Amino acid sequence: MKLWSKGFEPDKMIEEFTVGNDRELDLKLARYDVMGSMAHIRMLESIGLLSGDELKSLLEALEDIAAIIERGEFTIEPGIEDVHSQVEFMLTQRLGDTGKKIHSGRSRNDQVLVDLKLFIRDELKTTSQSIKHLFDRLQLLSEKHKDALMPGYTHLQIAMPSSFGLWFGAYAEALVDDMQMIAAAYSIANQNPLGSAAGYGSSFPLNRTMTTELLGFETMHYNVVAAQMSRGKTERAAGMAIAAVASTLGRFAMDVCMWMCQNFAFISFPDELTTGSSIMPHKKNPDVFEIMRGKCNRLQSIPNEIALLTANLPLGYNRDLQLLKDIIFPAFSELRSCLDMCDFMLSHIKVKENILDDPKYDYLFTVEDVNRLALGGMPFREAYRTVGMQVQNGEYVPTRSVSHTHEGSIGNLCNAQIAAKMETVMDKMS
Ligand code: ARG
């Protein structure tokens, strides 16, 4: 029986097609649905739509349902459309007519919105912790290997000296920018849509400020239509943040695959963290980072998928919006599994020392030698030509000494300043 039943049941095929896998996805929303309902009924009591006794018994019943959810025993029964209907059904089973009063002044449209805001807010917070762990790991490795030089490339051609300190530290700092996106998405999710009801408010004298405070939202979506429009926009902002992190991580995974290749051999991992081949007995493959690269590339399509799903929808609720859950829910866990796996792998990374002693890297030092001549008083262009001609005539002998001192260079990584930037960004989510 549906909440909206008026004496006929919809065709089975129609039900299956429209509900799809929503029952399964909605399980993730259950605890937030109960939180939203608790705030809603407290507010209803405060405006005289529920008695003190009714509030008390409804709160007790909701606590009971919350405990069932926490124990992992909550299910959405066959024939019940979604989590919102299931919670209301359970309340009515327990409390009869009192259970039926809970829906005054709200609609499933703002109910699902409030659930999603609370869910996305939490998921972003948890994701930010995984990002921070990886950030800390990268910074640690950057400091540990700050003196281990490696080649820097442009056009994939040997360019200038780089270092493991610079490489690890670069990805740490890139994650700070990604964290800005996470914090922005968090702030967009941190607004109360409850009270927008079906999308056009209610003639009940709802106290939306009260539910905003009860649910710990930073502010509310004031305009009820804007509140409804935030479905899709909230997911898209979160999706953009996920894609930003995924682009950093996917690129890092590519570096790792390349540096593990025997032609570079800059890094390695213990055998048990590599994978083998069914035909080539010597293989120790970087499958972990290949899967990570692939997953991260896929995650970068999330904002695009959301944009296509929501483009030009008419104002107000449309059922298409339900499909957003399919896109965004698995994306959070997928990204976190990549972040956590990367952190784990990096806790075992082995870095090769003295890479630059190999003569094939001699030309990395040409700019150092040009600069040395220029610092000695020779005009830069002349110094450039002098070293250039040595290279051209096969007479170049590198001095092999490197001295970079400016901020952010191999000799002055500024990891502490980067950590401070990360703290500032993360404070926005506390
Ligand atoms: N499962 C629905 C969704 O995610 C809940 C809202 C249903 N609202 C409606 N008017 N049919 O969007």
Side-chain angles (χ1 to χ4, degrees):
M1 169 102 150
K2 304 284 165 296
L3 288 176
W4 40 267
S5 177
K6 287 171 285 286
F8 67 90
E9 285 295 303
D11 186 279
K12 263 259 139 312
M13 266 171 69
I14 300 301
E15 157 135 4
E16 262 178 46
F17 188 76
T18 52
V19 174
N21 61 350
D22 208 36
R23 281 195 195 100
E24 194 188 311
L25 291 168
D26 265 11
L27 292 178
K28 284 198 184 293
L29 297 182
R31 54 193 293 258
Y32 303 105
D33 203 70
V34 169
M35 280 165 68
S37 288
M38 284 178 164
H40 182 65
I41 55 173
R42 285 199 164 99
M43 186 278 293
L44 287 183
E45 190 262 349
S46 78
I47 60 171
L49 283 177
L50 286 176
S51 71
D53 285 346
E54 285 170 332
L55 174 64
K56 192 166 169 291
S57 46
L58 279 167
L59 282 175
E60 276 167 17
L62 283 169
E63 291 287 1
D64 184 37
I65 297 171
I68 294 174
I69 295 166
E70 289 320 312
R71 289 200 300 274
E73 290 164 8
F74 180 87
T75 52
I76 300 173
E77 292 162 46
I80 297 208
E81 238 182 338
D82 51 30
V83 66
H84 327 292
S85 314
Q86 178 70 35
V87 172
E88 189 173 328
F89 173 70
M90 289 167 86
L91 286 176
T92 311
Q93 263 186 335
R94 285 167 168 73
L95 304 171
D97 280 352
T98 310
K100 294 183 189 158
K101 287 189 170 183
I102 190 171
H103 212 53
S104 314
R106 75 173 184 187
S107 149
R108 279 183 301 164
N109 295 354
D110 65 339
Q111 225 182 320
V112 65
L113 258 172
V114 81
D115 295 3
L116 286 166
K117 295 274 190 189
L118 294 168
F119 169 77
I120 291 174
R121 196 174 68 169
D122 270 6
E123 290 290 305
L124 287 167
K125 191 75 180 252
T126 318
T127 306
S128 76
Q129 279 147 11
S130 290
I131 299 170
K132 180 64 167 44
H133 285 141
L134 179 59
F135 171 85
D136 290 342
R137 170 85 57 202
L138 287 163
Q139 283 226 308
L140 204 79
L141 288 166
S142 172
E143 280 300 311
K144 182 170 167 200
H145 299 291
K146 63 171 184 265
D147 297 323
L149 295 181
M150 71 193 296
Y153 298 85
T154 66
H155 312 264
L156 255 191
Q157 303 287 307
I158 288 160
M160 282 180 64
S162 180
S163 70
F164 282 98
L166 204 58
W167 179 54
F168 288 122
Y171 282 95
E173 189 166 5
L175 287 176
V176 178
D177 288 350
D178 301 335
M179 193 68 97
Q180 298 266 22
M181 305 276 287
I182 297 275
Y186 183 89
S187 157
I188 288 169
N190 204 3
Q191 307 180 80
N192 185 16
L194 197 59
S196 60
Y200 298 92
S202 164
S203 53
F204 289 121
L206 306 176
N207 183 349
R208 298 192 60 212
T209 302
M210 181 173 171
T211 54
T212 302
E213 280 163 14
L214 285 172
L215 292 167
F217 282 114
E218 193 183 16
T219 181
M220 72 175 90
H221 282 295
Y222 288 99
N223 183 305
V224 289
V225 175
Q228 286 292 323
M229 284 193 338
S230 78
R231 187 141 187 218
K233 279 176 92 70
T234 309
E235 289 88 339
R236 194 163 166 179
M240 284 161 84
I242 289 171
V245 181
S247 82
T248 302
L249 198 54
R251 200 163 181 188
F252 182 73
M254 172 62 207
D255 285 359
V256 170
C257 292
M258 198 153 77
W259 299 160
M260 270 176 82
C261 160
Q262 288 81 355
N263 295 68
F264 293 91
F266 297 163
I267 54 173
S268 59
F269 290 91
D271 288 354
E272 62 276 19
L273 302 188
T274 61
T275 43
S277 151
S278 59
I279 178 169
M280 297 166 280
H282 65 281
K283 285 294 224 134
K284 286 172 187 156
N285 290 329
D287 290 26
V288 169
F289 287 96
E290 290 168 341
I291 294 286
M292 196 182 295
R293 183 174 60 195
K295 285 184 178 221
C296 286
N297 286 344
R298 286 187 61 195
L299 284 169
Q300 288 177 74
S301 74
I302 300 284
N304 206 25
E305 274 188 62
I306 295 176
L308 290 176
L309 176 62
T310 55
N312 305 333
L313 284 183
L315 207 55
Y317 178 83
N318 303 278
R319 191 75 181 265
D320 320 42
L321 296 170
Q322 176 177 296
L323 303 177
L324 285 164
K325 292 181 221 171
D326 250 335
I327 306 175
I328 199 77
F329 284 20
F332 280 115
S333 33
E334 191 86 313
L335 179 67
R336 280 202 298 272
S337 81
C338 290
L339 286 162
D340 298 345
M341 178 51 79
C342 190
D343 183 37
F344 168 76
M345 292 299 284
L346 287 183
S347 68
H348 292 94
I349 195 170
K350 292 184 229 161
V351 160
K352 188 170 162 193
E353 303 279 338
N354 307 319
I355 296 172
L356 301 194
D357 289 352
D358 187 325
K360 75 167 162 263
Y361 299 121
D362 279 2
Y363 292 139
L364 283 176
F365 298 94
T366 58
V367 182
E368 312 301 309
D369 289 324
V370 170
N371 291 356
R372 200 163 290 115
L373 291 177
L375 280 171
M378 191 184 285
F380 177 82
R381 197 41 70 206
E382 212 177 305
Y384 174 95
R385 197 178 150 70
T386 306
V387 176
M389 287 318 292
Q390 289 169 1
V391 172
Q392 197 58 28
N393 300 329
E395 292 159 0
Y396 173 69
V397 183
T399 49
R400 291 191 173 276
S401 88
V402 181
S403 162
H404 291 202
T405 55
H406 68 75
E407 300 92 330
S409 63
I410 46 182
N412 182 8
L413 294 170
C414 294
N415 281 330
Q417 289 88 327
I418 294 168
K421 274 207 290 185
M422 188 57 128
E423 288 296 320
T424 311
V425 179
M426 291 200 73
D427 280 351
K428 295 181 192 165
M429 281 178 282
S430 56

